Amino acid sequence: MRTPIVPMASIEPMTAPAGAGGWAPVPGWQVASTADAGVEGELVSLPGYDASSWLHAPARSTVLAALVANGEAAPDDVFFSTVMRDRFDPARFAVPWWFRAAFRLSGPARTYVQVRGVIPRADLWVNGRRVLDAGALAGAYRVETVDVTEHVSPGLNALALLVYPGDPMQDLSIGWIDWAPPPPDHNMGPWRDVLVGRSGPVRLGPPHVTTTFDPEAGTRRAHLRVRAELHNRSGSPQRVLISGRVAREDLSIGFTTEVDVEAGATALVDVRGDRLVIDDPRLWWPIGEGEQDLYALALDASAEGIVSDHTETVFGIRTVTSDLRPGGGRQFEVNGRPVQILAGGWSPDLLLRHDGRRLASQIELCAHLGLNAIRPEGKLENPEFYELCDAAGIMTLPGWECCTKWEAAAGTGGTPWDDHDLDVAERSMASEAELLRCHPSVVGFLIGSDFAPPEPVAERYVAALEERWWDLPVVASATEQGTDASGPSGMKMTGPYDWVPPVYWYSRDPQRGGAVGFNSETSAGHVLPRLEGLRRMLSQGELERLWQHPEHSQYHSGPPSVFADLRVFARALAERYGPPESLADFVGKAQLAGYEAARAQFEAFTSRALEDEPATGVVYWMLNPPWPSLNWQLFDYDLDTPGAYWGAHKALERLHVSYAYDTKTVQVLNRTRARVGPSSVIVRHWAVEGDLLAEDRHELAAVDPGRPLEVAPVSVPAGVRGPWFLELELYEDAARRSRNVYWLSATEDVVDPGGLDWYTVGLSQYSDLRAVGLLGTREARRPRVLGTARATRSGADLLVEVDLAHVDGSAPPALHLHASLMRSGERVAPVLWDDNDITLFRGQTAVQKGRVATAGVEDRQGLAVVIEGFNLHRPLLCPLAVAC
C-alpha cells in the first residue's frame, strides 16, 4: 500500500523571455506515469490538457525524486536502512513517464526549446507535435536545441517529455557501479534544465574565450581569443554585426566585427588580435597558488540594425598544460607553474536532486579540507557546480564513467555499442565541451575511466573536443592505458580501495598505489560516520551486524561486490586495536583508523611532489558519498566530518610537521610559496599511560618551499614493546604553526609482498596498538578534561571558540577530542574548525576555532558545543552564549 501523496505547491506556467537573447528554465514539472495518463503526446502536450491531478516536481528531477518530493517517502527517510529498496516497486518504472510544463509567449521572436540532459532518452512534444524523438534525445549528457517557432503562438503553450525506461548497462546514462545501490528508477527524467529561449533571425551559440600569454612578457600580457557559432534561422543571407565586451571592475574592452552567414547556415565568430590584449591581467589560480579572478564576456548579434541575440559568460585568464614526468605521472601546469593535484572523487545525490545551498557547503568543505581538485567520474554535474569551483579555486577533472554502457567495449558490462550509441557518445562529448570549456576550474577531461576507449571512439571524442575549441589536456583513461588519438594517459589505477596500513602509502612499487606518479583513485576504503550519523542511517539490526558480524553484507556499503561488507576493515581494527567491545567502541576505533590512514596517504603524496620520480597527483576515493554510506568518504552525506576528514585536513596543512613512516624521520614540509624561518621543532615521546618519555628541540634556520626537510630520526623509546605516542610541534618565532600526534608501535605493520590484491594488500604482521584501544574500555583510567565555549557573530558567520584543558596530572592522554556544534540536541553541519580530533597530554591546553554560516543556526537558542573523545568518560557539554 502506497503512502498517501502530499502534492507540492502548484506550478504556474512560466513566462518565456519576450525579446531576443533570453533563456528561461522550466521552473517545475507536472509528472505522471503512462500507466495512469496514457502515451498520447498529441493530447498531453496541449496547453489545455488537464494535468491538475499529476504530481509536481522541481525543474531538475528524476521520477523517484518526484515521488519522494510528493510524500511517498520522507526526504529524511528514503535513505534510511533499506527503505529505498523496499518501498518502491521497480515495476513502476518499467513504463514511460510524462514530464509536462506550460509556458507563455509574447512578442514576434523565434522560439527554441533546449533540453540539457534527460535520462535515458525521451520524446519532446510541443503543443501536440513531436519535435524530437528518443533517437535524437538520448543520453544523459546530450544537449539538443530545437526551433519550435512554427509550433507555438502568443499566449499559453505547453511542452512535454515522454521519458522512457532505461538501464545504465544498456543506455549511455548514469550508473552507480559499486558506489551505492542503484535507485529503482535508474534516475529516469530531465535531471538537467530544460529551457525556452528567444532570438531574432540569427542566434549565437555558447561563446568561448581562450588565453595565450605573450612569448616575451609571459603572464604579464594575455592575448584573448573569442569564438562563438552564429546560426542563421532566416530564409535569406545575413550580414551580422557582433558587438562584444570583456570586463571586470577595473577593465572594460569593447570590440566589433561583421560576419556574413548564408540562409539556414552556421558561421564562426572569431575575434582576436590587438583588440583583445590585456596587460598585467588578473590571473585565475588554483586554491593555494593565488587568487581566483574572473572576467565577464558579453556578445550581441545584430541583423539589419536590430539586436537578434545576446549571450554572455564568465571566464578566467589562465592556461593549462600537462606532460609526463619520470615515473609515468602526468604533471599539470597552470599558467606555466607545476601544480600537484590533490583531489577527491565526487558524487552528486543518488537521486540527482539539486540543492544549491548543500552544493556550496560541499565545495566549501573541499576547500577547507585542503584539497585543490575534484574528479567527477561520470555524474558530471550542473553549471552551478563548476561556478562554485571557479570561485573557490578547486580544479576539476571530469570524465566518463566506468563499468557501464560507457565502457561496454572493454567487456566490463553493458550491451555492445551500435552506430547510434557512437553518435550519442560523440554528441555527448561535444555538449560537455561546450558546458565545461569556459570554466577556469576545469583542467582536463578523461575520455576513459577504468579502460581507455577503443581507438575509433577515442578519435571521435578528440575530434568533438577540437571542434568545440577545447584547449585543455585530454586524458585517455584513469589507468596507464593510452590511445593514439590522445596520447599516453600518465595515470595509474593500482588501488587500493580497502584498508591498508599507513606505511603502504610510502611504497615506491609501481604496481601499488603509493606516492609515485598520478594515482587517479585510491584510499584505505571504508570510512564510518560517527555514531549519531550511523544511527540515522541504519536499523538496530544493521548496527549490531556492523560490529558483531562485519563479514555480512550491508546495504549501505554498496551493491554486491568485494566492498559490500567490512571484513577487511574490521579485521584490521581487531588485530591492531583489539576486538571491539561495543558498537561505540567499534566506531571510536574506526575514527582512529580513518584518521591515521587518510593522513598518511596525503602526507606521503605531498612530501614527494618534487622527487626525481614525483608524485604528481592523487585522487582520494572518494570525497563524498551519494547517500548515507559506510564506504569511501572524507565527509559523510550529512556533511559531518569523520576521523578521515581530520587526518587529511592535518596532512594538507600548507606548513606541516610530520612523521615519515618509510624513513622513520621527522620532516617539515613547506607548501607555501615563501621561505619560513627561523623555526624550531619539538619532538616528544609519550607512553600510552601518559608519561613523558623524552623531549628534544631542533632549531631550523629556514624551511624553503618544496621538498621536505628532514629534522631528526625517530626510534622506539627504550623499554617500550607496544604502542607509544609521538608528538610533533613546529614553531615560527613564538607562534605554533603545526602540531601532529601519531600513535606508533614497536611492533609495526608489515605488508606481505605476496598478498597483493587489486583492492587491498595482505599483511604478515599487524601493528600492535591494542593498548591504545584499551584506553577506551570501561576499566581504563579516564582523563579529566575541562571545556568552555563562546561565540561571536561576524557578518554572515558565527565564530565559535572552545578552550580545552587536560587537568588530570596522572591520567593517560585525552585521545581524539572531537568538537561538534549542537542546536537543541541536533548536530549542526558543516562547521569549519581549524582543527579537530585532537589529542591532549597531561597539563596541555588547546583552543579550537570554528566557523559556521548563521543561515544554518538561525535560531541560536539551545546552542552548545559537545566535546566527545575516544576515552572520555562522557561527552562534555559546553553551553554557548552568542555575543552579537
Side-chain angles (χ1 to χ4, degrees), residues 819-837:
S820 298
L821 181 63
M822 311 292 284
R823 183 186 60 212
S824 302
E826 295 292 328
R827 194 181 304 268
V828 176
V831 178
L832 306 180
W833 299 98
D834 58 354
D835 197 7
N836 219 334
D837 287 8

Side-chain angles (χ1 to χ4, degrees), residues 587-599:
V587 174
K589 290 171 177 173
Q591 304 309 314
L592 295 176
Y595 187 102
E596 60 171 345
R599 176 177 60 182

Side-chain angles (χ1 to χ4, degrees), residues 575-610:
E575 293 281 356
R576 298 172 88 241
Y577 291 100
E581 295 187 351
S582 65
L583 174 63
D585 186 41
F586 181 75
V587 174
K589 290 171 177 173
Q591 304 309 314
L592 295 176
Y595 187 102
E596 60 171 345
R599 176 177 60 182
Q601 178 175 338
F602 283 107
E603 285 178 339
F605 275 86
T606 54
S607 69
R608 293 184 178 173
L610 296 180

Side-chain angles (χ1 to χ4, degrees), residues 357-358 361 364-365 536 635-641 820-823 826-833 851-853 856-857:
R357 181 169 159 181
R358 173 181 171 82
S361 294
E364 189 175 34
L365 278 168
R536 285 197 298 269
F635 56 85
D636 62 35
Y637 186 78
D638 293 335
L639 307 187
D640 198 12
T641 49
S820 298
L821 181 63
M822 311 292 284
R823 183 186 60 212
E826 295 292 328
R827 194 181 304 268
V828 176
V831 178
L832 306 180
W833 299 98
R851 176 172 61 86
V852 62
V857 286

Side-chain angles (χ1 to χ4, degrees), residues 226-298:
V226 175
R227 282 174 284 191
E229 289 183 335
L230 187 64
H231 308 278
N232 182 3
R233 298 297 302 170
S234 74
S236 60
Q238 297 284 342
R239 170 158 286 189
V240 183
L241 176 66
I242 303 296
S243 303
R245 186 164 298 279
V246 171
R248 52 167 295 129
E249 65 270 12
D250 59 346
L251 174 80
S252 180
I253 299 175
F255 58 90
T256 61
T257 190
E258 287 189 328
V259 179
D260 291 319
V261 55
E262 295 298 321
T266 296
L268 176 64
V269 177
D270 192 352
V271 183
R272 50 184 164 172
D274 295 341
R275 292 177 292 177
L276 290 176
V277 175
I278 301 178
D279 289 320
D280 297 317
R282 297 193 182 186
L283 304 183
W284 185 94
W285 289 99
I287 189 170
E289 301 291 332
E291 299 300 316
Q292 290 76 51
D293 286 293
L294 298 170
Y295 290 75
L297 168 69

Side-chain angles (χ1 to χ4, degrees), residues 525-536:
H526 291 92
V527 173
L528 267 63
R530 298 184 186 274
L531 190 55
E532 180 185 351
L534 287 171
R535 286 175 171 151
R536 285 197 298 269

